[in-house]
């Protein structure tokens, strides 16, 4: 690389200019100050990522507001008569947006009136906390599957198969659920392991295919999604999975010893699955930052040839990553089955496996980022449902908002352009889509 | 065309890449721009070629001030650039590559191949640049590909030709051929700006020399008034030892033993074709050869990165023929890979992490699968001091270091564990004079500690300076073993495959060897 790019040229010069200075310029105190300054700069550039994400959410809400306006007939009508009643057009618009977004807030977190009622009377806490409980319930599988996808992405492995692995995990959990009979203290951990094992098997297959034959995981994992979806449909009409005495494609129900207990009373659905998700998230944060295996994963993700030259076994790591990624998606399937649904039906899992990919991107493939991203997505989903029920704004709008957020997060340059931010020089680690099609 | 750069200044943030640079290239002159990496040569060329806009200063062509918003405008004004990495479409013919973007057409925009070919034949005859217009570029040797690049610039009517490190991919013979072409271009009134860091070449071909250091012009001189040592000290800013200081080798037991080694490349072609080699403790064996004659694959095979098709690799008598890279590392092979940025470093990771890249999972850097980041950090502090690695902090990404410092990071890592063999491919490629000196000293120090050293280099100077024994590789075989006192000319011929060891001996002994070798030379330069 003798033809240095301008920035490439910058670094060597800085260092060689430094070396020109007399030795007194390198006093220890000054060096410490310099190191602290470098660290501060790095913090700022991290903060920049945060700022970009916040601005992306803000932009998405603004664009969402515009969409609400142009799709609400009453608003359009009032704008049609802006000549005669200009004030009405603005007030109608404002009221529509305010109603929609406050419904979204109240549906996903809490209604201030319900909270104050609960505080003053001591009753109605369950009602007041139901929205946030629902958000946490929706977030649980997203955190689990999203963390799995993120570990894959940051290792350069594009696991698009979380959906299939989730189904495999749910099947594993279900099987352990009805085949094993034990007290809850033994049974439930086995169910959790069953979920992880089901997902791990589903992830192991594309891992081995990639390591042994070079088959690209994007293709194999997408195709395996269909395989597991159809496998589920088949198993639901077959013993031992089908509910006995049922003609419909519905599975047996999880016995009470295989169900994740609720955390706060029987009405609020938030359950132990959330604790599993939080533990996985923290564990993944430790794993990526501090463990030797996590380090080798990161190296392989950033530069597989350097990893190989340094003695890392790229094939083994590829298999491991996909297996681990699948296991976490499997846990997500277990969490929905044992936490809220208790039986499987065709098309199980909805969109969780694909939302997990989005959440991983939103969280920039970092476990704690994925955690925050999952909470945001879950809030948008539960809030969106409430908004549709109470203001008539379509649930699809939340999907649009989700999409716009991810769109902006994935294109930080665009956000910087719109908000005239200075580029703080994000490192090469920030390239989110590295390796696609490779 | 006369080029004047007046007071060019270009800054990137706080960094001054070009500081008040003045440079004049006369019509018909070969002007060398000499400087270390990071001296600001590339920035200056990017400013000239319209890729960067200067903060201040003026560019004049034949006395007329110009401003280029993009390379297209520079090309239209008669500036041609031959990049170090060729910008050719490998599957296109020579003619197609040359006319690309400026294709002669017939009615309705049909490509007029006949006219393109005729134009190219005319151009190539005019300047003695022998190419066949219908050849496919990927089938051509690098030297010929470079001719295609030059023709491409001439086809666009370049009157000022910028050659960026053009000789780094050429054999000594091809380099001489290039110099002849450069002179004929200069005679025809074209100006040439020749960017390099190789001092011998500068003195051989330049009319005038401008030396840059730290973004400034240090001085302008001519080959008549300057010598290598003087130019080197101008570049570096201090006096430099151009000759590696080393005592005679005292070889001991055999460490590396290759027998009948056959290695295939990714396409399944035999690129190492039955090679035998012994490297002893306490000696440096240097493998000379033009890039692409199997050296890369040979190194990869020894390091466990490429499977061996036949034959054996032994280290201290232990069979490593089917060793994995990890086995090779644990057996005591230190490997400095040819492409340091692709294979040697993870650019986005910190200097500290890169310093433990192959021992990250061993004590004291990890315990029970958990990394000890404090030890990793303190290790980095020690290595930065020991190896004089210039980095503001061990936590900065290794990508922010200069090439020389990146190479020191790799050396620091590889030499800081117990090793028996040091295997270094192109250890100083692209490094500045100061770093080359340092890397060479370290390599010799390892030899003196009793390590067996195997160097692979396409730089003949390096091979001659470092090697206690020299092996020349051509098309997967060793065409000869010799000692460093062998003449450059003879090694050059072996590198081009026109002279093997026996022929070299015959040339020394027998009569009538002269005409024979000159015949093979001309054949070799056409079909290297």
């Amino acid at each position: 690389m003798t033809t240095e790019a301008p920035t490439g040229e910058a670094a060597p010069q800085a260092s060689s200019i430094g070396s020109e200075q007399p030795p007194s310029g390198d006093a220890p105190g000054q060096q410490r100050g310099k190191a602290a300054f470098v660290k501060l700069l790095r913090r700022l550039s991290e903060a920049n990522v945060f700022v970009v994400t916040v601005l992306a959410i803000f932009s998405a809400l603004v664009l969402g507001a515009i969409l609400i306006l142009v799709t609400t007939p009453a608003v359009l009508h009032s704008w049609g008569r802006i000549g005669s009643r200009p004030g009405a057009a603005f007030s109608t618009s404002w009221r529509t947006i305010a109603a929609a977004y406050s419904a979204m807030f109240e549906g996903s977190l809490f209604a201030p009136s319900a909270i104050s009622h609960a505080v003053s009377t001591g009753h109605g806490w369950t009602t007041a906390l139901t929205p946030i409980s629902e958000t946490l319930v929706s977030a649980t599988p997203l955190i689990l599957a999203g963390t799995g996808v993120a570990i894959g992405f940051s290792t350069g492995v594009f696991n698009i198969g979380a959906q299939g692995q989730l189904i495999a995990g749910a099947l594993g959990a279900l099987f352990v659920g009805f085949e094993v009979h034990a007290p809850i203290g033994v049974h439930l951990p086995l169910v959790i392991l069953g979920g992880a094992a089901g997902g791990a098997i589903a992830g192991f297959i594309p891992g081995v295919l990639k390591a042994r034959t070079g088959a690209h995981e994007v293709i194999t994992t997408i195709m395996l999604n269909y395989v597991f979806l159809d496998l589920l449909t088949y198993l639901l009409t077959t013993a031992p999975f089908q509910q006995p005495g049922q003609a419909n494609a519905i599975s047996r129900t999880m016995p009470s010893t295989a169900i994740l207990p609720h955390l706060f009373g029987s009405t609020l659905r938030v359950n132990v699955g959330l604790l599993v998700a939080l533990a996985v998230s923290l564990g993944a944060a430790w794993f990526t930052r501090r463990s030797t295996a996590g380090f080798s994963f990161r190296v392989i993700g950033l530069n597989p040839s350097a990893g190989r030259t340094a003695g890392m076994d790229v094939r083994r790591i590829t298999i491991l990553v996909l297996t681990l990624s699948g296991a976490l998606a499997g846990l997500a399937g277990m969490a929905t089955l044992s936490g809220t649904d208790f039986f499987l039906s065709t098309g199980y899992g909805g969109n969780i496996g694909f939302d997990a990919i989005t959440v991983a991107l939103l969280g920039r493939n970092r476990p704690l980022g994925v955690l925050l991203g999952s909470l945001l997505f879950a809030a948008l989903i539960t809030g969106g449902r409430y908004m549709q029920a109470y203001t008539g704004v379509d649930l699809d709008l939340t999907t649009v908002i989700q999409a716009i957020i991810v769109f902006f997060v994935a294109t930080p340059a665009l956000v910087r352009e719109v908000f005239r931010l200075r580029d703080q020089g994000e490192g090469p680690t920030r390239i989110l889509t590295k390796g696609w099609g490779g | 065309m006369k080029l004047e750069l007046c007071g060019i200044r270009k800054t990137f943030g706080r960094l001054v890449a070009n500081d008040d640079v003045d440079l004049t290239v006369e019509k018909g002159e070969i002007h060398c721009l000499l400087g270390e990496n990071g001296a600001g040569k590339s920035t200056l060329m990017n400013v000239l070629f319209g890729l960067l806009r200067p903060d201040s200063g003026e560019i004049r062509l034949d006395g007329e001030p110009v401003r280029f918003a993009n390379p297209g405008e520079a090309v239209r004004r008669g500036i041609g650039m031959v990049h170090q990495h060729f910008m050719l479409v490998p599957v296109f013919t020579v003619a197609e590559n040359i006319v690309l973007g400026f294709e002669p057409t017939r009615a309705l925009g049909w490509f007029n191949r006949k006219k393109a070919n005729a134009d190219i034949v005319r151009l190539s005859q005019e300047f003695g640049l022998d190419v066949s217009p219908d050849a496919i570029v990927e089938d051509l040797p690098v030297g010929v590909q470079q001719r295609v690049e030059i023709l491409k610039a001439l086809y666009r009517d370049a009157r000022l030709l910028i050659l960026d490190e053009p000789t780094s991919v050429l054999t000594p013979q091809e380099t001489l051929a290039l110099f002849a072409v450069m002179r004929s271009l200069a005679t025809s009134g074209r100006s040439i700006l020749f960017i390099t860091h190789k001092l011998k070449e500068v003195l051989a071909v330049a009319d005038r020399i401008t030396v840059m250091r730290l973004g400034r012009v240090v001085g302008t001189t001519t080959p008549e008034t300057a010598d290598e040592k003087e130019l080197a000290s101008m570049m570096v800013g201090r006096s430099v030892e151009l000759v590696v200081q080393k005592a005679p080798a005292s070889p001991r037991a055999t460490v590396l033993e290759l027998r009948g080694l056959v290695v295939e490349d990714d396409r399944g072609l035999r690129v190492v074709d039955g090679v035998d080699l012994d490297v002893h403790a306490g000696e440096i064996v240097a493998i000379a050869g033009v890039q692409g004659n199997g050296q890369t694959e040979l190194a990869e095979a020894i390091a466990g990165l490429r499977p061996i098709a036949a034959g054996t690799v032994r280290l201290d008598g232990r069979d490593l023929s089917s060793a994995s890279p990890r086995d090779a590392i644990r057996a005591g092979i230190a490997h400095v890979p040819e492409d340091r940025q692709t294979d040697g470093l993870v650019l986005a990771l910190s200097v500290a992490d890169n310093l433990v890249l192959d021992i990250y999972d061993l004590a004291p850097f990890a315990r029970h699968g958990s990394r000890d980041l404090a030890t990793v950090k303190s290790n980095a502090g020690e290595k930065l001091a020991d190896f004089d690695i210039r980095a503001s902090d061990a936590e900065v990404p290794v990508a922010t270091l200069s090439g020389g410092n990146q190479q020191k990071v790799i050396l620091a890592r590889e030499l800081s564990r117990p090793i028996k063999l040091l295997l270094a491919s192109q250890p100083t490629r692209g490094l500045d004079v100061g770093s080359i000196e340092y890397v060479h000293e370290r390599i010799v120090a390892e030899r003196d500690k009793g390590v067996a050293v195997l160097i692979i280099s396409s730089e003949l100077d390096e091979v001659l300076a470092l090697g206690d024994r020299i092996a020349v590789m051509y098309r997967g075989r060793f065409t000869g073993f010799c000692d460093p006192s062998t003449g450059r000319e003879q090694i050059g011929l072996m590198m081009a495959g026109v002279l093997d060891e026996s022929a070299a001996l015959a040339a020394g002994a027998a009569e009538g060897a002269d005409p024979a070798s000159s015949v093979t030379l001309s054949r070799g330069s056409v079909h290297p």
Side-chain angles (χ1 to χ4, degrees), chain A residues 40 111 138 247 253 267 393 411:
Chain A
L40 182 72
S138 304
T253 310
T267 323
V393 175
T411 52

Side-chain angles (χ1 to χ4, degrees), chain B residues 262-279:
Chain B
V262 175
V263 185
E264 292 175 348
D265 70 1
D266 297 333
R267 293 175 295 169
L269 301 173
R270 272 192 171 211
V271 285
V272 177
D273 193 6
V275 156
D276 297 317
L277 180 69
D278 285 334
V279 184

Side-chain angles (χ1 to χ4, degrees), chain A residues 1-17 19-20 31 34-35 37-39 42 286 289-293 295-296 298-299 302-303 305-313 317 428-429, chain B residues 12 15-17 37-43 46 52 84-85 164-165 214-215 305 325-326 329 335 337 341-343 345-346 348-349 353 357-358 360-361 366 369-371 373 377 390 393 395-396 400 402 405:
Chain A
M1 217 202 67
T2 341
T3 33
E4 316 91 321
T7 44
E9 184 142 332
Q13 276 212 338
S15 58
S16 39
I17 288 171
S19 68
E20 286 273 299
Q31 232 169 23
K34 206 170 154 197
F37 180 66
V38 168
K39 254 185 211 139
R42 221 174 307 133
W286 174 85
R289 297 233 57 86
R290 297 301 295 265
S291 74
T292 52
F295 181 72
S296 63
R298 200 143 43 104
V299 167
L302 292 167
N303 184 350
S305 20
R308 204 167 96 81
T309 308
M312 295 172 190
D313 189 336
I317 289 174
T429 43
Chain B
F12 299 104
L15 182 101
V16 186
N37 295 326
K41 297 176 307 213
S42 296
T43 305
N46 287 337
L52 292 172
Q84 187 183 9
H85 303 286
D164 187 6
E165 304 269 0
L214 299 175
L305 290 161
R326 168 167 299 230
I329 290 167
H335 181 206
Q341 298 196 329
T342 306
D343 299 323
L345 297 167
V346 182
L349 286 184
D353 279 342
L357 203 60
D358 51 9
Y360 69 99
D361 53 346
S370 173
R371 301 182 70 210
L373 296 182
K377 194 175 173 187
R390 306 273 169 80
D393 177 336
E395 299 300 318
V396 298
T400 62
S402 69
N405 283 305

Side-chain angles (χ1 to χ4, degrees), chain B residues 36 199 213 227-245 432-438 440-441:
Chain B
E36 297 198 296
L199 304 168
R213 171 158 49 91
D227 62 16
E228 273 187 61
K229 203 154 175 144
E230 202 178 319
L231 288 175
S233 57
M234 278 169 88
M235 267 166 79
V236 183
R238 62 181 167 86
S239 72
V240 183
E241 283 302 329
L242 290 174
V243 185
V244 180
Q245 298 292 335
D432 52 76
V433 178
S435 302
I436 291 175
E437 189 186 16
Y438 184 86
H440 283 174
E441 276 172 18

Side-chain angles (χ1 to χ4, degrees), chain B residues 43-357:
Chain B
T43 305
L44 189 65
M45 289 309 109
N46 287 337
V47 164
L48 173 57
F49 205 53
L51 287 163
L52 292 172
R53 211 158 298 169
D55 301 343
S56 60
E58 196 173 64
I59 304 171
R60 271 177 277 188
L61 294 176
D62 285 335
E64 179 200 343
V66 288
R67 238 167 216 287
F68 303 132
N70 56 56
E73 291 184 14
V75 169
R76 272 192 287 282
R77 293 302 302 261
I79 298 180
M81 186 137 168
V82 175
H83 293 271
Q84 187 183 9
H85 303 286
F86 303 148
M87 311 282 178
L88 297 173
V89 185
V91 294
F92 278 16
T93 66
V94 168
E96 285 163 350
N97 266 289
I98 291 174
V99 300
L100 194 65
F102 297 81
E103 301 88 352
T105 49
R106 283 190 289 231
L108 300 173
W110 285 101
F111 175 43
N112 189 344
R113 184 178 299 273
K114 207 178 257 175
K115 181 170 186 315
N117 285 8
D119 285 351
I120 287 154
V121 169
R122 185 177 46 73
L123 263 182
S124 68
Q125 279 167 356
E126 190 178 341
F127 298 103
L129 286 155
D130 190 18
V131 292
S132 150
D134 287 318
I136 304 289
V137 160
E138 64 183 350
D139 299 337
L140 298 174
V142 237
V144 181
Q145 290 191 16
Q146 188 170 58
R147 270 180 239 160
V148 176
E149 277 280 8
I150 295 173
L151 277 172
K152 203 164 97 182
L154 295 175
Y155 184 80
R156 285 153 179 67
D157 196 24
R159 278 155 292 143
L160 170 72
L161 205 57
I162 306 169
L163 301 174
D164 187 6
E165 304 269 0
T167 59
S168 53
V169 289
L170 304 181
T171 62
Q173 278 78 14
E174 284 174 324
T175 302
L176 291 179
L178 172 69
F179 287 174
V181 168
M182 285 166 66
R183 286 204 196 87
S184 87
L185 288 171
T187 317
S188 75
R190 287 171 174 78
S191 312
I192 292 176
L193 192 50
F194 174 44
I195 303 170
T196 188
H197 62 270
K198 294 188 189 174
L199 304 168
K200 284 198 176 64
E201 294 177 355
V202 171
L203 294 173
V205 77
D207 293 319
R208 277 196 305 152
I209 304 162
T210 295
V211 184
M212 282 185 77
R213 171 158 49 91
L214 299 175
R216 291 168 178 275
V217 170
V218 186
T220 299
T221 177
T222 62
E224 289 75 35
T225 54
D227 62 16
E228 273 187 61
K229 203 154 175 144
E230 202 178 319
L231 288 175
S233 57
M234 278 169 88
M235 267 166 79
V236 183
R238 62 181 167 86
S239 72
V240 183
E241 283 302 329
L242 290 174
V243 185
V244 180
Q245 298 292 335
K246 59 175 183 140
S250 46
R252 291 186 286 269
T254 305
V255 173
L256 178 73
E257 190 186 300
L258 307 180
R259 288 292 174 268
L261 191 66
V262 175
V263 185
E264 292 175 348
D265 70 1
D266 297 333
R267 293 175 295 169
L269 301 173
R270 272 192 171 211
V271 285
V272 177
D273 193 6
V275 156
D276 297 317
L277 180 69
D278 285 334
V279 184
H280 302 93
E283 78 167 344
I284 300 176
V285 174
I287 299 181
V290 181
Q291 277 268 273
N293 277 291
Q295 306 99 310
T296 307
E297 290 80 5
L298 175 66
E300 287 174 352
I302 296 170
L305 290 161
R306 187 174 281 281
I308 290 168
T312 54
V313 174
R314 285 174 179 281
L315 190 77
D316 264 359
R318 194 179 140 197
D319 190 6
L320 287 182
S321 305
S322 52
S324 70
R326 168 167 299 230
D327 296 336
I329 290 167
R330 300 287 187 257
I333 296 181
H335 181 206
V336 177
E338 174 181 319
D339 186 337
R340 73 182 72 96
Q341 298 196 329
T342 306
D343 299 323
L345 297 167
V346 182
L347 291 174
L349 286 184
S350 68
V351 174
D353 279 342
N354 273 288
L355 280 166
V356 295
L357 203 60

